[in-house]
Amino acid sequence: MIQVSDLIKRHGTLEVLRGISLEVSKGEVDAIIGPSGGGKSTFLRCINGLERFQGGRIQVGSHVLSPETNPRQHAATLQAVRRQVGFVFQQFNLFPHLTVLGNLIEAPMLVLGESRDEATVRAMQLLDRVQLSAKADVKTTSLSGGQQQRVAIARTLMMRPDAVLFDEPTSALDPVMAQEVLAVMGDLAKDGQTMLVVTHSMAFAKNVATRVHVFAGGYDVECGSPDQVFGAPEHETTKAFLAYTKA
Ligand code: ADP
Ligand code: MG
């Protein structure tokens, strides 16, 4: 579903991604952990076509992004990639002037051409899935952070993405709210949603991920099953990072 080969990204002379390859197949959940500044967010942004890159190749479904891909000449490809891959941000990015339901149905109506009724039926199903049916008609500004993030997840799913990228979805939340959001993400994973998740939650990486990647200094320094990465880490960076997260 997502295939990244030898991805290189530079900001000026700073090489932020130094040749990263990674594959997420349908129904898999890949978790990316690692120290701040390692390139995790940049990596997700490249996959979603939010950033250009200088080397390598990204394939999402049947669409290919390359260093030559640019917003002017390849707008249709970029749009197709963004439709196929949803993105859940750390800061929920909901529309404050709309209700919860309004946030969910806007894009499906505008972009997918769904009728209001059709979109509303699906929205109510998804709100049920994130346990927020009762909040359909309230403004998102009246919700807690955990509730807002669950709305943001439902809004992303409204676009029927083939895969969803999460960039530290719980790092702006207190532990209880983070738990609510992680529970919803765990349910999605169980239902076979393909996901690529940058996370601070070692519990999520351990218990939900198919595969765990450790990003540091622009490299995927270690990658394996949760049992391998957490139980028998091989790379010094992984050992140091895991010791630090336990402290
Ligand atoms: P992470 O998400 O793992 O914390 P990032 O992908 O945000 O890491 O950043 C990786 C590196 O790229 C950092 O050194 C950061 O300072 C640098 N970086 C990110 N965005 C920019 C930018 N727009 N211009 C220059 N450097 C950037
Ligand atoms: Mg980041």
Side-chain angles (χ1 to χ4, degrees):
M1 182 115 352
I2 297 173
Q3 200 171 6
V4 180
S5 343
D6 219 15
L7 187 65
I8 293 173
K9 165 75 184 177
R10 292 185 203 97
H11 281 296
T13 54
L14 177 69
E15 201 158 66
V16 178
L17 300 174
R18 300 166 178 248
I20 292 191
S21 301
L22 175 156
E23 236 180 278
V24 190
S25 301
K26 195 169 159 51
E28 288 185 337
V29 177
D30 278 40
I32 303 176
I33 60 172
S36 177
K40 304 181 296 295
S41 295
T42 304
F43 184 70
L44 293 190
R45 292 170 56 78
C46 287
I47 293 177
N48 206 38
L50 293 168
E51 301 235 20
R52 294 186 64 178
F53 49 94
Q54 284 69 44
R57 179 179 190 277
I58 296 172
Q59 181 159 1
V60 174
S62 58
H63 305 286
V64 176
L65 301 178
S66 76
E68 286 72 46
T69 308
N70 70 71
R72 256 176 305 142
Q73 281 175 296
H74 309 98
T77 301
L78 288 166
Q79 201 179 15
V81 165
R82 284 179 204 145
R83 203 185 278 190
Q84 214 155 7
V85 180
F87 206 126
V88 175
F89 301 89
Q90 181 180 334
Q91 302 296 346
F92 334 116
N93 295 347
L94 297 171
F95 298 119
H97 60 288
L98 295 178
T99 62
V100 168
L101 186 63
N103 267 276
L104 264 63
I105 65 176
E106 174 144 313
M109 284 168 36
L110 280 173
V111 181
L112 304 180
E114 286 187 19
S115 70
R116 179 173 292 272
D117 286 351
E118 199 179 349
T120 301
V121 168
R122 289 205 305 117
M124 293 311 297
Q125 287 166 351
L126 282 172
L127 285 178
D128 189 41
R129 222 166 145 193
V130 300
Q131 304 188 358
L132 286 173
S133 322
K135 300 288 186 187
D137 297 320
V138 309
K139 285 269 173 66
T140 56
T141 42
S142 71
L143 300 178
S144 75
Q147 291 171 330
Q148 290 191 45
Q149 190 60 299
R150 285 184 280 145
V151 172
I153 291 171
R155 182 179 61 174
T156 299
L157 295 175
M158 283 297 288
M159 295 302 286
R160 308 177 195 272
D162 292 323
V164 183
L165 313 179
F166 293 82
D167 192 0
E168 297 187 356
T170 60
S171 57
L173 304 175
D174 73 34
V176 174
M177 295 193 294
Q179 215 39 60
E180 299 166 1
V181 170
L182 291 167
V184 164
M185 292 168 62
D187 282 346
L188 294 180
K190 225 179 279 164
D191 290 344
Q193 175 68 58
T194 310
M195 312 191 333
L196 180 54
V197 183
V198 171
T199 184
H200 285 313
S201 168
M202 296 305 121
F204 181 87
K206 231 181 248 178
N207 302 327
V208 180
T210 318
R211 212 176 294 105
V212 179
H213 304 262
V214 184
F215 275 29
Y219 295 103
D220 186 348
V221 296
E222 183 156 359
C223 152
S225 68
D227 282 353
Q228 189 248 302
V229 173
F230 290 103
E234 283 168 10
H235 200 284
E236 286 310 317
T237 307
T238 310
K239 291 180 195 171
F241 180 70
L242 293 179
Y244 170 77
T245 60
K246 275 186 200 122

